[in-house]
Amino acid sequence: MNSRYAEQSTADPRTAELTESLSAVERRITRAVEAAGREQRPELIVVTKYFPAEDVIRLYDLGVRDVGENKDQEASAKAREVAQALRARDAQAYDADPLRWHFIGQLQSNKAKSVAGYAHAVHSVDRGSLLKGLKKVAAERAEPLGCLIQVDLREQVEEGARGGAAPEEVPALAAGISEAQGLRLAGLMAVAPLGEPAEEAFARLSRLHAELLAEHPQAGMVSAGMSGDLEQAVAHGATHLRIGRDVLGERPYAR
Ligand SMILES: *Cc1c(COP(=O)(O)O)cnc(C)c1O
């Protein structure tokens, strides 16, 4: 399973480093899947925010196809740069097997159109007012835009600080997405809140996902788990893990 990373040339030290960290993360996922007794292995999305296009190209060469970004300005430029470089090598090969960009950051309404232009999926749909902008561009795409509802898992939510839709807002938002032309309701996303065991938060997410599935059986994605809590996310049924620092290293700038 991990041999696809090891086969690559390690002449470039950064590539050698990424080969090693990717393999280590894949091993952690394997152990977590075994510990949970799961049959399905979750997909790995490598979060490349703050890292340059060159690293995304290295990851592509190591077999990674799913990458995550959290800011439109950075992501749109990087997606363009990477596609250009990889298509310059072999456009046909790249178009047949392209990178999938996952938008995982808080989305401003005025950026929705831009994101819908390059993203494979948006994991952070947290309010109905985003749908108008997403739909506008999604209608022109070959495939519908995957939309995940980001759920705020905090037990107590302070005014103003929003980390997703409240659980009770999910049904209406799900209905809005599934009725929108060009959008596809893909599942739920969450970040484990600070100050509470990730285990308990992901258990709540799993229950919310079961409720969503009862109404929308196609919404199978559960995007949960970061470098610090991937094991807990795997234990509670995550289908997509979003891993940044444990693959790429500490981010160059503090968030
Ligand atoms: C940055 C980020 C990640 C990756 O976090 P790491 O701790 O670097 O693995 C995952 N999800 C979201 C929403 C992020 O913003």
Side-chain angles (χ1 to χ4, degrees), residues 1-254:
M1 162 93 240
N2 300 324
S3 58
R4 65 189 171 127
Y5 301 131
E7 280 161 19
Q8 296 294 322
S9 151
T10 49
D12 162 41
R14 179 61 171 156
T15 301
E17 201 171 88
L18 292 174
T19 304
E20 200 144 298
S21 57
L22 260 178
S23 298
V25 166
E26 293 285 9
R27 283 194 299 273
R28 270 176 74 192
I29 297 172
T30 300
R31 281 196 298 272
V33 165
E34 286 169 3
R38 283 180 54 169
E39 280 173 21
Q40 275 240 284
R41 184 184 180 87
E43 301 286 330
L44 171 62
I45 298 169
V46 179
V47 178
T48 51
K49 64 189 184 198
Y50 289 81
F51 286 91
E54 289 74 24
D55 277 347
V56 182
I57 294 168
R58 289 183 177 97
L59 290 167
Y60 183 87
D61 289 337
L62 292 173
V64 171
R65 292 295 177 272
D66 292 278
V67 290
E69 289 282 338
N70 72 338
K71 291 211 175 63
D72 172 58
Q73 201 181 359
E74 180 183 349
S76 57
K78 213 182 287 183
R80 206 176 314 119
E81 192 180 338
V82 170
Q84 220 163 43
L86 291 172
R87 294 189 83 253
R89 267 199 221 156
D90 186 341
Q92 221 177 348
Y94 183 72
D95 292 344
D97 189 17
L99 275 166
R100 292 179 287 265
W101 295 85
H102 297 256
F103 191 82
I104 62 172
Q106 204 169 47
L107 186 53
Q108 294 166 276
S109 301
N110 61 350
K111 299 291 169 61
K113 268 171 71 178
S114 169
V115 169
Y118 59 84
H120 167 76
V122 178
H123 292 225
S124 43
V125 178
D126 62 354
R127 58 197 190 280
S129 57
L130 290 173
L131 303 184
K132 201 168 140 217
L134 292 173
K135 267 194 309 200
K136 242 180 224 158
V137 177
E140 298 160 15
R141 297 162 47 107
E143 285 181 7
L145 174 66
C147 292
L148 288 81
I149 298 173
Q150 181 175 356
V151 192
D152 193 334
L153 292 177
R154 289 174 300 180
E155 300 267 35
Q156 285 188 327
V157 178
E158 320 89 77
E159 278 302 311
R162 202 177 158 92
E168 58 273 20
E169 294 171 330
V170 171
L173 198 44
I177 295 168
S178 60
E179 285 158 14
Q181 191 113 51
L183 306 184
R184 182 175 62 82
L185 178 65
L188 294 183
M189 182 272 230
V191 175
L194 293 173
E196 134 176 52
E199 194 84 54
E200 291 168 23
F202 290 149
R204 287 207 295 289
L205 179 64
S206 171
R207 287 196 293 276
L208 290 169
H209 186 241
E211 290 171 18
L212 180 72
L213 274 182
E215 286 293 315
H216 303 275
Q218 78 288 6
M221 284 174 75
V222 179
S223 167
M226 309 180 13
S227 294
D229 54 26
L230 83 80
E231 283 80 6
Q232 289 88 337
V234 170
H236 288 284
T239 64
H240 290 72
L241 306 168
R242 308 178 309 269
I243 311 295
R245 65 184 80 233
D246 279 359
V247 173
L248 287 141
E250 284 302 316
R251 286 183 273 280
Y253 308 98

